[in-house]
Amino acid sequence: MKKILLVLLLGTIGLISAQVQTPSPVRVFGGFESNSQWYTNDKGLGIIHPEDPLRSNNYLFVNTAYKNWTAGVQVEAYENQSLLNYNPKYQNTNLGTYFVQFKSKKIDLTGGYFYEQFGSGLLYRSWEDRALGINNALCGARLIYQPTDFIILKTIAGEQRTGFELSKGTIFGGDLEIKLTDFFRMKTSDLSFGMMYVFRDENLDNLVDPKFSPLTNAIGTRINFTHNSFYSSVEYDLKSEDAIVQSEQLRPNFVKPGNALLLNMGYSKKGFGIDGTFRRMENMGFYSERLAKGNLYNDRILNFIPSLTKQHHSNLANIYAYQAQPNVYVTWQNGAGIGKAGEIGGQVDLFYNFKKGSSMGGKYGTKMAVNFSNWHALSGDFYSPIADYKTDFLSFGKKYFSDLNVDFTKKWSPTWQSELTWIHQYYDKKLITENFAYGVIKTHIVALESTHRFGKDQSVRWVAEHMWANADKKNWASATLEYNVNSKWSIFSTDLYNYGNDELYQRNHYYSLGSALRYKSTRVAASYGRQRGGLICVGGVCREVPESSGVSLSLNTSF
């Protein structure tokens, strides 16, 4: 296989050289990304480096386009192993994905690996996020047919990527979107209607007289409407009965359907905006293989269920990050129980710009942002050891999480801007992590950030943060300093200090010092320091990482 990959790489280099030297209707483009770390021992954290301390995740992707045709490959290398706590299926060097695509005005046909999304993604979404170790592309065929300007039909079929292999389940689906704006001759409004259907076929040969079908069907519908500054959307999805998977065990006698309701609406104009989202989910975990449900790596996941909360850039606000709770979990221990069948809740965002010259706006203006998110378990009756439940549709059960935050951004002069943030969080760690050893954590966080620009390209940015927490690891403090030498080069340092931990030996500093350099389409960054253990989240989807120390190097370039 490595010989084949070498031939592909050499051929790619030849194509690129030919493209550069002679004009051609063939266009070659792509990129290379490398993320490496040398893990070191750390007596302060009690860490012994892994057996292979040097690890690296590397991605080379090359695409070739000619008229209506595009083809591409992605070669991946995880040497000597992948970074800590990535999916263990990502090992060695291999061909990750490949595709051939034909696209005209009405037809878009792809064979090989592809990414797609139906509606909000609650029923189906395939995507790649290297920071989280997610690549759930479908390998098969996709057809997008647009017979008119207001009708789009998508069909997909294939098997899902899992590591360098394919899942055992086969996926089929379709999505129809009808844009009704022209049909109703709307001038200041937009209206569209969509329907989607996805089903998974997974063999049940190892089960005797199962009470559920090998086919799991999911169907949904959606409506999107905008009028001037107002917008709204609603989506409702249903998933057929299927066996519950709990603690990596398939429970063939515990069979339940799933459903989801998603509402969003908002209003925006210059200087003001408000947005609200509500979501109710019940048993909506959907994977290409049943036993993959709830795995730590989001491997073989078919749908996209981000946590609908504020995506904070504060270091301390992400210590207790909320993860969406779509799955079923029912258990009792010593008279205490955990009963979960999904989640219900939402968030509201409010933005307001105070006018320049007003008492709050000052000479250069002031911006305010308020966000509130609140998530609960579904209310209902849960039974164990019978393993059953019955939920109420719009009733709120035990509280999972809430986050209230207020942010003020003030521009003092053309070269000086500050931001003040206050955050209050409620986090039921026992209920969210399904671990009886934990309880409820309440935090208050204050963060002050300021940026000063010098000349054309130079700037200094500093951030000071503090968290007061009533439980778990208690109080934290954090500081960040960043200096942009010019538009191409920056250096930074940051430190998170868990000074309030009840255990003296766990009052650790998590420091980091690094630099980044950008030249044209290439960026190189290097850093040394400690990684705080916990969740790393991108766009509301998270990955658990262990504590670690060492040197990190990243390279990203495109051509």
Side-chain angles (χ1 to χ4, degrees):
M1 175 57 73
K2 289 187 177 182
K3 291 183 179 179
I4 296 174
L5 297 178
L6 181 59
V7 171
L8 287 172
L9 292 177
L10 292 174
T12 299
I13 294 172
L15 283 172
I16 295 171
S17 300
Q19 175 69 13
V20 171
Q21 294 172 8
T22 59
S24 170
V26 178
R27 185 167 58 96
V28 178
F29 57 97
F32 176 72
E33 180 178 333
S34 177
N35 299 294
S36 306
Q37 184 159 352
W38 183 288
Y39 296 96
T40 59
N41 294 333
D42 191 323
K43 291 183 180 179
L45 297 180
I47 294 174
I48 299 176
H49 68 68
E51 184 177 345
D52 294 314
L54 178 59
R55 299 186 174 201
S56 185
N57 296 3
N58 305 275
Y59 312 87
L60 173 65
F61 48 102
V62 181
N63 298 322
T64 302
Y66 176 73
K67 294 184 178 180
N68 296 70
W69 294 88
T70 304
V73 297
Q74 178 165 295
V75 179
E76 301 174 13
Y78 303 91
E79 304 289 353
N80 292 319
Q81 295 186 48
S82 59
L83 299 176
L84 285 179
N85 222 43
Y86 270 74
N87 191 334
K89 293 180 178 180
Y90 291 120
Q91 298 292 335
N92 304 319
T93 301
N94 212 322
L95 183 62
T97 61
Y98 53 85
F99 74 94
V100 177
Q101 181 183 29
F102 172 82
K103 188 173 183 179
S104 65
K105 184 178 180 181
K106 294 185 177 182
I107 294 177
D108 183 346
L109 178 63
T110 302
Y113 289 87
F114 59 87
Y115 305 97
E116 188 53 74
Q117 176 171 325
F118 294 167
S120 69
L122 277 173
L123 282 191
Y124 179 75
R125 185 195 184 196
S126 54
W127 80 102
E128 179 184 28
D129 193 309
R130 294 166 188 166
L132 298 176
I134 297 176
N135 190 324
N136 61 348
L138 211 63
C139 183
R142 178 191 64 179
L143 173 63
I144 302 176
Y145 179 53
Q146 189 169 358
T148 69
D149 291 337
F150 56 89
I151 295 179
I152 302 176
L153 175 63
K154 302 177 182 178
T155 58
I156 60 172
E159 297 170 315
Q160 194 176 42
R161 179 182 177 182
T162 172
F164 290 117
E165 300 177 350
L166 297 177
S167 67
K168 297 177 182 178
T170 304
I171 311 303
F172 298 90
D175 181 271
L176 173 64
E177 180 165 323
I178 303 175
K179 300 178 181 180
L180 300 173
T181 304
D182 293 336
F183 183 80
F184 289 111
R185 298 179 180 178
M186 297 178 176
K187 295 183 179 180
T188 60
S189 303
D190 285 305
L191 177 65
S192 65
F193 170 77
M195 296 183 294
M196 44 212 160
Y197 174 63
V198 180
F199 75 82
R200 172 198 63 199
D201 185 6
E202 186 186 9
N203 202 313
L204 299 177
D205 288 345
N206 57 334
L207 295 178
V208 178
D209 192 23
K211 297 182 178 180
F212 56 96
S213 170
L215 293 177
T216 304
N217 300 282
I219 188 170
T221 185
R222 64 185 185 272
I223 298 175
N224 298 293
F225 175 71
T226 64
H227 177 69
N228 294 329
S229 298
F230 172 79
Y231 58 89
S232 64
S233 64
V234 58
E235 179 176 324
Y236 185 67
D237 305 307
L238 290 170
K239 184 161 67 79
S240 64
E241 287 191 339
D242 198 18
I244 298 297
V245 174
Q246 183 171 306
S247 301
E248 300 180 358
Q249 297 293 321
L250 183 70
R251 308 182 73 173
N253 296 319
F254 192 4
V255 179
K256 288 289 184 178
N259 60 81
L261 173 64
L262 178 65
L263 300 171
N264 174 252
M265 63 177 55
Y267 176 84
S268 65
K269 65 177 185 178
K270 186 178 181 180
F272 173 78
I274 185 169
D275 181 273
T277 303
F278 170 84
R279 183 172 70 192
R280 182 198 186 274
M281 293 190 300
E282 180 178 334
N283 187 25
M284 277 302 292
F286 200 16
Y287 296 78
S288 56
E289 295 178 13
R290 290 177 174 84
L291 287 176
K293 182 174 288 187
N295 71 85
L296 296 175
Y297 311 106
N298 288 303
D299 183 36
R300 291 161 286 175
I301 190 168
L302 285 174
N303 52 352
F304 177 62
I305 307 179
S307 59
L308 297 180
T309 61
K310 177 70 174 288
Q311 304 301 302
H312 292 288
H313 62 267
S314 159
N315 289 322
L316 301 184
N318 288 297
I319 291 177
Y320 299 108
Y322 179 68
Q323 286 186 283
Q325 304 289 306
N327 297 321
V328 174
Y329 189 84
V330 182
T331 187
W332 259 256
Q333 292 184 17
N334 301 321
I338 294 178
K340 297 165 57 177
E343 68 175 19
I344 184 171
Q347 70 170 335
V348 176
D349 283 293
L350 173 67
F351 307 92
Y352 184 75
N353 295 344
F354 294 94
K355 292 182 179 180
K356 296 179 181 180
S358 65
S359 57
M360 285 292 293
K363 184 176 180 180
Y364 297 96
T366 302
K367 298 179 180 180
M368 180 187 70
V370 181
N371 170 272
F372 176 64
S373 57
N374 189 35
W375 293 96
H376 290 247
L378 297 178
S379 175
D381 299 317
F382 295 85
Y383 310 98
S384 182
I386 301 173
D388 197 8
Y389 66 84
K390 182 179 180 181
T391 62
D392 303 317
F393 188 71
L394 289 178
S395 295
F396 287 67
K398 292 183 178 180
K399 186 175 180 179
Y400 287 131
F401 176 87
S402 68
D403 184 329
L404 172 63
N405 54 86
V406 182
D407 183 279
F408 286 94
T409 302
K410 175 71 174 179
K411 191 172 183 180
W412 305 99
S413 73
T415 59
W416 179 21
Q417 178 175 292
S418 299
E419 182 177 351
L420 176 64
T421 304
W422 171 79
I423 304 167
H424 173 55
Q425 295 174 321
Y426 175 102
Y427 186 90
D428 191 331
K429 194 170 183 177
K430 169 189 169 182
L431 196 57
I432 292 173
T433 64
E434 300 159 5
N435 190 323
F436 284 89
Y438 299 115
V440 173
I441 303 162
K442 299 178 182 180
T443 72
H444 288 274
I445 302 168
V446 174
L448 179 61
E449 176 180 340
S450 190
T451 302
H452 300 258
R453 295 200 307 272
F454 306 94
K456 182 179 180 181
D457 298 320
Q458 286 184 307
S459 66
V460 172
R461 172 180 169 267
W462 59 266
V463 184
E465 305 176 47
H466 188 273
M467 173 196 283
W468 293 267
N470 70 319
D472 199 36
K473 297 183 177 182
K474 300 291 183 68
N475 295 356
W476 290 74
S478 173
T480 299
L481 180 63
E482 179 182 298
Y483 175 44
N484 293 297
V485 181
N486 51 48
S487 61
K488 299 178 181 179
W489 180 32
S490 64
I491 57 177
F492 69 89
S493 65
T494 185
D495 184 29
L496 283 72
Y497 181 31
N498 188 201
Y499 77 92
N501 202 307
D502 290 338
E503 301 293 341
L504 295 180
Y505 72 94
Q506 291 187 355
R507 294 183 177 181
N508 296 313
H509 287 270
Y510 297 89
Y511 52 82
S512 180
L513 175 66
S515 179
L517 179 65
R518 182 184 296 275
Y519 178 71
K520 294 184 179 179
S521 61
T522 300
R523 183 181 184 274
V524 181
S527 64
Y528 170 76
R530 290 171 164 176
Q531 169 67 57
R532 175 187 64 82
L535 295 175
I536 290 181
C537 303
V538 179
V541 180
C542 303
R543 176 174 71 91
E544 188 84 25
V545 298
E547 289 191 341
S548 63
S549 292
V551 179
S552 298
L553 176 67
S554 67
L555 168 65
N556 198 317
T557 187
S558 60
F559 53 83

